[in-house]
Amino acid sequence: MALDTRTDRRPSLAATLWGSSVGKKTVMAVSGLIMLLYLVVHMLGNLKIFFGAAEFNHYAHWLRVVGEPFMHEEWTLWLVRVVLLAAVVAHATSAYQLSRRDIRARPGKYVHRKPRASYATRTMRWGGIILGLFLVWHLLDLTTGTVHAGFRPGHPYQNVVDTFSTWYGNVIYLVAMVALGLHVRHGFWSAAQSLGVGSRSRDRLLKTTANALALVLTVGFVSVPVAVMTGVVS
């Protein structure tokens, strides 16, 4: 008589967490905070354009050699890119799957209309799509130069000025930055709730912090195209 040597294999802890709504929300929160940290650093770097071409171009060059001689040229830059790509994919996948799960969980149309959500909440999904499309355009414009007719490798200052000297470059960027501000405003507070940081006593502080971050990031990023349009940066 043959013995059944099969054993019931339990899913791993990671698989269990990923399969739950709580786990997906946690992934969204952590990946969102990683991207938020990058955005703050990226904004500060962008503001170096106000110190002139030499300063901005030097900063862009430093990004490629940071970590030398321990890290080879561009290794640190590519490491950051890989981490950011993983965060973007994890964030988008979690958001999509949670959205689909929420739709499937609805038995039908609500009998009573739910209270209207805030503008930021109602535009989170579309805002995410706008930011995703903008990210692709931004990389093709100022990193690879694919959609930038006058792109000059090794001249980031001039490339930025060229981009914001066109009406469509400004429109795309400004729309994306407004979407970013709304996304950060709602996303930061939601991340705090998902990670268990939120509470009745902290909600006001968290919402104030979310509003402040959204405002600072939006103004900081928008200041560059506005400066080019007004001739402050040329």
Side-chain angles (χ1 to χ4, degrees):
M1 180 177 179
L3 295 177
D4 188 354
T5 59
R6 292 177 301 174
T7 58
D8 293 333
R9 298 185 61 183
R10 296 182 178 179
S12 65
L13 178 60
T16 301
L17 289 174
W18 176 249
S20 67
S21 294
V22 173
K24 293 183 187 299
K25 290 179 179 179
T26 301
V27 170
M28 274 195 71
V30 174
S31 59
L33 291 175
I34 290 173
M35 290 186 287
L36 179 59
L37 176 61
Y38 168 78
L39 286 170
V40 172
V41 175
H42 186 45
M43 180 202 68
L44 293 174
N46 281 2
L47 295 179
K48 286 183 175 291
I49 201 168
F50 290 99
F51 295 95
E55 181 75 15
F56 191 73
N57 289 339
H58 177 71
Y59 165 69
H61 172 73
W62 175 81
L63 290 176
R64 298 180 178 278
V65 299
V66 63
E68 288 188 342
F70 179 75
M71 299 290 282
H72 192 63
E73 183 177 350
E74 292 194 11
W75 279 13
T76 302
L77 184 59
W78 275 105
L79 179 61
V80 172
R81 287 170 175 169
V82 169
V83 172
L84 280 174
L85 177 61
V88 170
V89 171
H91 196 77
T93 302
S94 300
Y96 175 77
Q97 293 185 357
L98 282 169
S99 177
R100 299 301 301 173
R101 182 170 293 185
D102 181 57
I103 292 174
R104 289 196 301 267
R106 297 176 184 175
K109 294 184 178 179
Y110 293 105
V111 177
H112 301 289
R113 184 174 296 179
K114 300 182 71 175
R116 288 176 64 87
S118 68
Y119 181 77
T121 302
R122 289 185 286 113
T123 56
M124 278 294 285
R125 291 172 186 171
W126 280 109
I129 294 174
I130 290 172
L131 290 173
L133 294 174
F134 168 75
L135 179 60
V136 174
W137 178 84
H138 193 53
L139 291 173
L140 293 176
D141 179 40
L142 292 175
T143 300
T144 66
T146 306
V147 297
H148 191 143
F151 184 78
R152 299 174 60 190
H155 295 80
Y157 181 92
Q158 191 59 48
N159 291 333
V160 170
V161 172
D162 285 346
T163 287
F164 297 131
S165 295
T166 62
W167 68 266
Y168 58 86
N170 288 316
V171 170
I172 292 173
Y173 197 86
L174 293 176
V175 169
M177 292 307 101
V178 171
L180 174 66
L182 294 173
H183 211 78
V184 169
R185 178 175 177 267
H186 179 75
F188 180 83
W189 186 84
S190 297
Q193 307 307 309
S194 298
L195 295 176
V197 178
S199 67
R200 182 172 298 179
S201 61
R202 297 173 184 162
D203 278 354
R204 178 174 296 181
L205 175 61
L206 290 171
K207 289 181 179 180
T208 300
T209 303
N211 290 335
L213 278 171
L215 180 62
V216 169
L217 285 171
T218 303
V219 172
F221 280 118
V222 166
S223 66
V224 177
V226 170
V228 175
M229 284 188 285
T230 57
V232 175
V233 172
S234 61

